[in-house]
Amino acid sequence: MGNKGELVLESLRTTYRKNIWSKFIKGIKDFNLIEDGDKIAVGVSGGKDSLLLCKLFQELKKDRSKNFEVAFISMNPGFGSMDMEQFKKNLEELDIPCEIFDANVWEVAFREDPDSPCFLCAKMRRGVLYNKVEELGYNKLALGHHFDDVVETAMINMFYAGTVKTMIPKVSSTSGKMAVIRPLVYIKEKDIISYTQKNKIEAMSCGCPIESGKVDSKRKEIKKLLAELEKTNSNVKQSIFNSLKNINIDYVMGYTKGNKDKGEM
């Protein structure tokens, strides 16, 4: 019997072939996420999504259908010692070679905006990670955002920001020096949770006082709302996801034919 890292890889091709592996490959093909010659850095947070993404890339690397390089990199924004110990234990057990670098993102975000640090924290984390990846010479950064993240982000923007937008599978960084890719775009969170539990992976807790539930976040509110809607319509998330690809521009206010400049319907 192989070690845990090998067994976890095997389950991607067997038990979770349909709901995880096939959807991972489909996302890559549909959005041309990986090209020959790519140098890809996988952003590893230590949570269930990024750990799965690491194993998927390790399995894909065996395939040799694409000529690309991949490395795993993690930013420590200020995790506690217990969280870091669990993170490093997971990396070792799962055979994931990962470079970890420190950044005092949480300290700065909570000092500058103690009541609502999330926006500044997210902005800083992106900036620090992007700069590091570019500095190391990678042309793509793979992140572990999944199907549910796409749906929830769309809802958050509509409900709280008054705009229709979400995470997209491939986008250029602000500097234009690299692309951010999201290969888990078709993979549902429930399947990631099942995979994590089945393989007895003890993913690191977030460690952030907001995301760990000490303070309610808008994303948690949206999760609860979607869970309620699913009780009467099990396909509601898929419908929202599909709508983000099927926008009828003729029926968007301000952009209808003949009234584009007037903003009339």
Side-chain angles (χ1 to χ4, degrees), residues 38-53:
D38 276 344
K39 296 183 67 177
I40 303 170
V42 177
V44 190
S45 68
K48 65 184 190 317
D49 310 325
S50 65
L51 291 176
L52 168 62
L53 186 60

Side-chain angles (χ1 to χ4, degrees), residues 17-245:
R17 182 179 184 85
K18 179 180 178 181
N19 291 332
I20 293 183
W21 177 253
S22 294
K23 290 183 177 180
F24 172 68
I25 297 301
K26 178 175 171 56
I28 290 172
K29 289 181 177 178
D30 283 359
F31 302 104
N32 194 30
L33 301 184
I34 299 177
E35 301 164 277
D36 286 338
D38 276 344
K39 296 183 67 177
I40 303 170
V42 177
V44 190
S45 68
K48 65 184 190 317
D49 310 325
S50 65
L51 291 176
L52 168 62
L53 186 60
C54 291
K55 300 312 292 182
L56 285 165
F57 264 99
Q58 286 182 329
E59 186 66 15
L60 182 64
K61 189 64 178 169
K62 292 180 180 180
D63 199 323
R64 301 185 184 277
S65 59
K66 294 279 188 183
N67 179 26
F68 69 95
E69 295 179 28
V70 64
F72 308 103
I73 184 169
S74 178
M75 177 187 66
N76 174 9
F79 293 129
S81 57
M82 288 183 65
D83 285 325
M84 282 305 297
E85 286 174 13
Q86 182 61 53
F87 181 29
K88 291 177 179 178
K89 179 182 177 183
N90 279 334
L91 293 175
E92 183 177 352
E93 287 185 349
L94 295 172
D95 295 331
I96 300 172
C98 182
E99 177 184 344
I100 302 173
F101 68 97
D102 296 326
N104 63 339
V105 170
W106 284 354
E107 179 185 338
V108 174
F110 277 91
R111 184 177 67 238
E112 296 296 324
D113 192 355
D115 296 323
S116 304
C118 295
F119 177 78
L120 179 58
C121 176
K123 184 177 180 180
M124 288 182 64
R125 289 175 71 175
R126 283 196 302 272
V128 172
L129 184 58
Y130 290 8
N131 287 339
K132 184 68 173 180
V133 170
E134 290 178 5
E135 176 188 312
L136 293 173
Y138 298 101
N139 70 307
K140 287 180 181 174
L141 169 63
L143 298 178
H145 298 123
H146 48 65
F147 172 91
D148 295 74
D149 288 326
V150 172
V151 172
E152 291 161 10
T153 300
M155 297 290 284
I156 289 169
N157 279 313
M158 290 180 70
F159 282 27
Y160 301 107
T163 184
V164 179
K165 69 176 183 179
T166 191
M167 298 171 173
I168 57 176
K170 186 177 183 180
V171 63
S172 294
S173 64
T174 306
S175 69
K177 295 179 180 179
M178 70 171 190
V180 176
I181 59 174
R182 298 182 170 98
L184 305 186
V185 64
Y186 288 140
I187 300 174
K188 296 182 178 180
E189 185 173 33
K190 66 179 182 179
D191 293 318
I192 299 176
I193 292 172
S194 172
Y195 167 86
T196 302
Q197 293 175 341
K198 177 81 172 178
N199 287 287
K200 298 180 179 179
I201 299 171
E202 296 181 18
M204 186 184 72
S205 62
C206 176
C208 171
I210 290 181
E211 286 303 316
S212 62
K214 295 180 182 177
V215 179
D216 284 337
S217 69
K218 290 181 174 61
R219 189 167 293 274
K220 281 185 169 57
E221 292 175 11
I222 293 298
K223 278 183 178 289
K224 290 178 182 177
L225 173 61
L226 289 169
E228 284 296 314
L229 292 172
E230 282 186 306
K231 291 178 181 178
T232 54
N233 178 7
S234 60
N235 203 42
V236 67
K237 288 183 184 178
Q238 189 65 55
S239 292
I240 294 171
F241 186 92
N242 291 347
S243 73
L244 296 169
K245 299 191 296 181

